[in-house]
């Protein structure tokens, strides 16, 4: 069965006409003969939207009850059974009532699509997951219902229902969106012109990205590699040289001239992997690109202009920024260079050649070293010194039997052998020596450094050229082999480094430790320059702070180590241990650049964690103020009214009335007292300053006292406690607080005909107190959330308490070494299980106060060994 298609109507704000447009499309398809039904549409009482439903078949909604309230949801099974060609489903981001088949409506829509049904739906830009925090920052209103961007991006068609802010506000003022009593508040808050303009821009930009993806897909499908200038994309080419910073900033300015332009940096790596750029420069330039809002890329290619243009065309770039050539004019006569070649072959891509300080200063070359060790070069010299005289003597003895060409071949073989052993310079020494010996001993006139015949002169010169060429090739091959081995070792080291950093919880420490191990160092220290005013007066050591260190002893300044690797003006890597070879410094610089990145990420993570903590504190404070406002106001108002009536001289109260007013004041003040005690205990728990006095206590005695504290509302609570239940080791007051809070929560949600049940059991040294109710229960996904302070799942007001009881109860239980966990009640409801350890004197040593209290010691002994006075 073919999958159905999804069409989404996207709006910037409520009221732009998404549902109207969706129903208009449904009616249009119905008129063409398509089988269309309405699965769910929310008209919000708007007459024009309700009129669009006329003539469309509407599938009846499914009635549901949640926490005593009635709701309606889309009947997914009925729609699937009806199986129309097209179904209209409003509000893609809607969260279904608990007990529905799926948590979110977009899951319902996915099932409809899988069944081959085409779906028309709506969503506002503020409900997209990626923009949720941005919308909240703009409007100040958090959006609790969101939909993943990927769900909307997978839609075959997305239509933007657009409207100017002024037109939307006029529609609002005319009463076409909200009821009249809500219009002024909406216009002054969410529907301000600035908010609507920002939301409209977000919707347009998000849809532009979606259209851009569709365009890339179309170009790839049809093999189109020419540039379509639908959007400015600026590509800057980096070589790893110091001029890269200038090029990046210039490209960023070019991109900034066009709103929403993309900045991309690219570095071309040689295919052989041997001639690499400075990794430290590239790492620093990558940070700069990302700081300016761009992205960094690497491609492999032997032909740099072709690789650059292939990348630029692949990303549909419109402009390409290159640095002016570093080569001198003489070199440019023989080869035009990357910039000129790229410009000539760029086609429709604009190429900017940017001058810089390094222009025409010559190419950046890595220092070259011989591919052979010193021992081998010395061996080559020794071979030449010993073999040349011996070969000359040998050829002298058989001179009558061979000619000059044979002599030349013999010396050529010797030169090649020296090149294989010692490389270029010993081979050149052997070639020059061979030329002189051939000239003196074997070329007429003999024993003179002259040549009589031109043919012999040509042969000798050809010998020198061939010998030199062979020696050069051999030395180059050896150098390439050594460079390849070095590159492989560097790659392996970097790969090992990346693995250790990625799999570690502390990437900076892991990176420095890997540096220390790889190069056999004593300590590695990342230093940061002080920025305070008195840093200059502290001296060299006092001018630096240790940002991170591994090994001992740490360096307190860059000069303390044997090797210093400056990273930037404020960061430096100091290495203590053996002096590193020049070839290792390049790799160390790459490590240093990555250490700077890791330090920055660590600082950002710390700032994010601190900001998150502050946000949680603000969130907690807001929840506290909103929740406590009612619970403080209500008992205070009741107590004040009762006391004020009693003090009034205008009314004569009977004895019964006075008692009732006094009881009302007392009850209200008791509620207020419990609230304040809960708040204080919660703050003490969070501060770790809650005082406890644990002792053996009978749960069977604590339960009735807790029920008495709740008053008449707990009279129907059922209790099931075994007679042989052991005592638990707990604070009596805190245990009663836990039972009161949990039982009050159960009473609040239990139906009158099924009051809560308290059941107690003991197993394996643990006593479990189960408070069982048959209320609506708690969804599995929300079980951890109910233990957060100020949570009231499903409540729409502040009339049911501050939502602190369960959070405080779990905290108190854990403080006493126990736990409080929620479970499902068979048949529906919630079971809260309080687990406490049984009292065992050997397990819980007495505190100093208990040691000084003989009565308590006697009670503990009676519990462990049984009563001594015959009482039960």
């Amino acid at each position: 069965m073919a999958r159905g298609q999804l069409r989404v109507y996207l709006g910037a704000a409520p009221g732009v006409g998404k549902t109207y447009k969706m129903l208009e499309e449904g009616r249009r398809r119905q008129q063409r003969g398509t089988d269309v039904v309405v699965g769910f549409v929310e008209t919000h009482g708007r007459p024009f939207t309700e009129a669009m439903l006329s003539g469309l078949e509407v599938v009846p909604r499914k009635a549901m009850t949640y926490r005593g309230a009635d709701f309606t949801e889309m009947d997914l099974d009925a729609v699937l059974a009806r199986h129309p060609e097209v179904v209209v489903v409003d509000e893609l981001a809607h969260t279904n009532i608990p007990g529905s088949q799926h948590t979110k409506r977009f899951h319902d829509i996915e099932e409809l699509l899988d069944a081959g049904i085409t779906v028309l739906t709506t969503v506002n830009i503020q409900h997209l997951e990626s923009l949720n925090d941005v919308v909240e920052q703009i409007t100040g209103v958090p959006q609790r219902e969101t939909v993943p961007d990927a769900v909307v991006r997978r839609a075959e068609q997305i239509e933007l229902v657009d409207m100017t802010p002024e037109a939307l506000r006029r529609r609002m003022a005319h009463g076409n969106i909200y009821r009249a009593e809500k219009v002024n508040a909406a216009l002054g808050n969410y529907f301000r012109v600035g908010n609507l303009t920002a939301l409209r821009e977000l919707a347009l930009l998000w849809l532009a990205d979606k259209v851009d993806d569709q365009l890339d897909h179309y170009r790839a499908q049809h093999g189109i590699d020419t540039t379509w200038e639908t959007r400015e994309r600026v590509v800057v080419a980096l070589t790893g040289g110091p001029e890269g910073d200038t090029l990046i900033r210039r490209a960023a300015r070019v991109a900034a001239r066009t709103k929403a332009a993309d900045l991309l940096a690219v570095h071309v790596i040689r295919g052989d992997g041997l001639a690499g750029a400075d990794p430290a420069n590239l790492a620093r330039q990558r940070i700069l690109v990302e700081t300016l809002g761009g992205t960094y890329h690497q491609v492999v290619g032997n032909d740099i202009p072709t690789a650059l243009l292939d990348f630029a065309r692949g990303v549909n770039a419109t402009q390409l920024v290159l640095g002016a050539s570093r080569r001198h004019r003489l070199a440019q006569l023989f080869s035009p260079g990357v910039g000129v070649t790229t410009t000539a072959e760029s086609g429709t891509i604009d190429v900017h050649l940017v001058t810089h300080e390094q222009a025409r200063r010559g190419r950046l070359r890595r220092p070259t070293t011989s591919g052979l060790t010193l021992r081998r070069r010395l061996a080559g010299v020794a071979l030449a010194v010993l073999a040349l005289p011996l070969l000359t003597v040998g050829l002298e003895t058989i001179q009558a039997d061979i000619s000059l060409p044979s002599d030349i071949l013999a010396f050529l073989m010797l030169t090649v052998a020296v090149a294989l052993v010692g490389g270029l310079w010993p081979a050149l020494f052997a070639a020059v020596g061979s030329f002189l010996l051939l000239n003196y001993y074997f070329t007429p006139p003999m024993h003179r450094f002259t040549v009589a015949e031109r043919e012999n002169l040509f042969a000798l010169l050809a010998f020198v050229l061939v010998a030199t060429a062979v020696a050069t090739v051999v030395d180059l091959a050896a150098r390439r082999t050594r460079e390849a081995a070095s590159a492989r070792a560097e790659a392996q080291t970097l790969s090992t480094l990346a693995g250790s950093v990625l799999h570690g919880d502390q990437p900076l420490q892991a990176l420095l430790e890997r540096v220390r191990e790889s190069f056999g160092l004593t300590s590695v220290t990342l230093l940061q320059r002080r920025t305070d005013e008195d840093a200059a007066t502290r001296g060299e050591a006092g001018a630096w702070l240790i940002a991170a260190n591994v090994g001992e002893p740490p360096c307190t300044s860059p000069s303390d180590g044997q090797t210093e690797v400056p990273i930037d003006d404020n960061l430096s890597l100091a290495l203590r241990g053996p002096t590193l070879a020049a070839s290792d410094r390049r790799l160390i610089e790459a490590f240093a650049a990555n250490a700077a990145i890791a330090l920055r990420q660590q600082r950002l993570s710390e700032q994010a964690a601190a900001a998150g903590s502050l946000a949680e504190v603000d969130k907690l404070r807001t929840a506290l103020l909103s929740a406590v406002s009612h619970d403080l106001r209500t008992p205070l108002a009741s107590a004040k009214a009762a006391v004020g009536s009693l003090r009034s001289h205008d009314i004569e109260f009977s004895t019964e009335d006075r008692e009732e007013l006094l009881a009302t004041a007392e009850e209200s003040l008791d509620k207020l007292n419990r609230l304040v005690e809960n708040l204080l205990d919660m703050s003490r728990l969070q501060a770790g300053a809650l005082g406890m006095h644990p002792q053996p206590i009978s749960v069977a005695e604590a339960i009735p006292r807790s029920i008495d504290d709740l008053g008449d509302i707990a009279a129907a609570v059922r209790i099931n406690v075994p007679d042989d239940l052991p005592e638990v080791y707990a604070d009596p007051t805190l245990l009663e607080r836990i039972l009161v809070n949990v039982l009050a929560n159960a009473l609040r949600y239990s139906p009158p005909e099924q009051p809560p049940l308290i059941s107690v059991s003991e197993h394996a040294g643990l006593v479990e107190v189960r408070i069982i109710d048959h209320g609506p229960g708690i969804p599995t996904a929300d079980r951890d959330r109910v233990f957060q302070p100020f949570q009231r799942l499903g409540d729409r007001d502040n009339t049911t308490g501050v939502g602190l009881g369960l959070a405080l109860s779990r905290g108190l239980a854990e403080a006493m070494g126990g736990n409080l966990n929620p479970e499902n009640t068979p048949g529906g409801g919630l079971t809260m299980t309080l687990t406490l350890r049984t009292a065992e004197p050997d397990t819980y040593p007495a505190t100093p106060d208990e040691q000084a209290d003989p009565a308590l010691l006697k009670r503990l002994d009676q519990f462990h060994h049984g009563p001594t006075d015959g009482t039960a």
Side-chain angles (χ1 to χ4, degrees), residues 531-615:
T531 57
D532 49 354
E533 297 179 355
D534 59 340
T537 63
R538 297 175 181 266
E540 174 67 14
W544 295 86
L545 292 171
I546 297 178
N549 176 77
V550 294
E552 294 293 339
C555 300
T556 57
S557 68
S559 59
D560 286 352
Q562 278 69 36
T563 305
E564 175 192 356
V565 182
I567 302 174
D568 54 30
D569 294 340
N570 296 317
L571 290 175
S572 183
L573 193 66
L575 313 176
R576 191 187 295 272
T579 303
L580 299 177
S583 58
D584 292 334
R585 186 176 180 88
R586 179 170 174 268
L587 191 58
I588 287 290
E589 288 176 350
F591 282 131
N594 283 289
I597 296 174
L599 177 62
R600 186 183 68 162
Q601 292 176 341
Q602 179 177 302
R603 297 278 171 81
L604 289 175
S605 299
E606 293 171 355
Q607 293 174 5
S613 299
L614 292 176

Side-chain angles (χ1 to χ4, degrees), residues 20 107 158 201 218 248 263 282 298 368 423 446 479 481 544 547 568 687 746:
Y20 188 93
H107 293 143
I158 301 178
E201 183 177 12
Y218 176 85
I248 292 170
L263 174 64
L282 287 177
Q298 286 186 336
T368 58
M446 305 295 184
R479 185 181 298 116
T481 301
W544 295 86
D568 54 30

Side-chain angles (χ1 to χ4, degrees), residues 51 252 469 773:
D773 68 61

Side-chain angles (χ1 to χ4, degrees), residues 617-629 789-792 798 802:
V617 171
D618 289 340
K619 183 177 179 182
L620 193 65
R621 185 183 297 114
T622 302
L624 172 63
L625 292 175
S626 62
V628 173
S629 60
F790 315 115
Q791 295 293 322
R792 298 182 305 276
N798 293 334
V802 298

Side-chain angles (χ1 to χ4, degrees), residues 248-509:
I248 292 170
R249 292 188 175 93
R250 177 62 174 168
R253 290 196 296 271
V254 172
R257 293 171 185 167
T258 304
K259 191 172 182 62
D262 295 332
L263 174 64
L264 301 91
V266 60
H267 171 65
V268 179
I269 304 173
R270 286 279 300 275
D272 55 14
L274 299 178
D278 188 340
N281 283 343
L282 287 177
R284 188 183 67 255
Q285 290 163 9
R286 178 173 186 168
I287 296 175
L288 179 59
V289 170
E290 293 173 350
T291 302
L292 294 173
T295 56
Y296 177 84
H297 309 267
Q298 286 186 336
V299 296
V300 178
N302 291 320
D303 188 349
I304 295 179
T306 301
L308 284 177
L309 291 173
D310 287 345
F311 174 81
R313 294 189 180 106
V315 298
N316 204 23
T318 56
Q319 303 190 59
L320 181 60
V321 178
L322 301 173
S325 177
R326 287 193 296 259
R327 301 185 309 154
H328 298 290
R329 288 186 177 180
L330 182 61
Q332 295 178 14
L333 294 176
F334 297 97
S335 175
V338 173
V340 176
T341 305
T342 303
T343 304
E345 300 176 359
S346 62
T348 58
I349 301 176
D350 297 336
V351 178
H352 303 264
L353 286 177
V354 180
T355 187
H356 50 84
E357 294 181 355
Q358 303 298 322
R360 295 188 178 178
R361 290 191 178 184
R363 291 183 177 179
L364 291 177
R365 297 184 180 273
R366 292 174 57 188
T368 58
T369 58
S370 174
L372 302 176
T373 62
L374 178 62
R375 174 178 292 184
R376 286 192 59 178
R377 295 199 298 272
L378 292 177
V381 172
L383 177 62
V385 171
L386 294 176
L388 285 175
L390 294 177
L391 180 60
T392 302
V393 173
L395 293 176
E396 278 274 287
T397 58
I398 57 173
Q399 185 60 35
D401 299 328
I402 59 175
S403 61
L404 179 61
S406 299
D407 297 330
I408 291 176
L409 288 175
F411 277 97
L412 180 60
M413 291 173 60
L414 176 60
T415 303
V416 171
V418 172
L420 291 173
V421 173
L424 178 61
W425 294 109
L428 291 178
F429 170 75
V432 173
S434 298
F435 173 80
L436 296 175
L437 291 173
L438 284 169
N439 187 3
Y440 190 82
Y441 287 102
F442 304 105
T443 305
M446 305 295 184
H447 305 296
R448 294 177 60 185
F449 289 106
T450 58
V451 180
E453 299 180 8
R454 292 182 178 179
E455 181 180 356
N456 292 338
L457 177 62
F458 175 76
L460 291 175
L461 292 176
F463 161 76
V464 173
L465 292 176
V466 171
T468 303
V470 170
T472 302
V473 170
V474 171
D475 186 74
L476 182 61
R479 185 181 298 116
R480 290 300 188 206
T481 301
R482 188 170 185 178
E483 288 178 355
S486 176
R488 184 169 60 251
E490 288 183 6
Q492 185 176 3
T493 302
L494 290 172
S495 175
T496 304
L497 165 71
S500 63
V501 170
L502 288 175
H503 292 88
D505 294 332
Q506 297 179 321
L508 180 58
Q509 294 295 119

Side-chain angles (χ1 to χ4, degrees), residues 77 137 233 296 300 513 608 612 655 711 746 803 851 861 870:
D77 293 333
Q137 183 180 6
R233 285 186 176 84
Y296 177 84
V300 178
E513 182 62 31
T655 304
Q851 293 172 355
D861 184 71

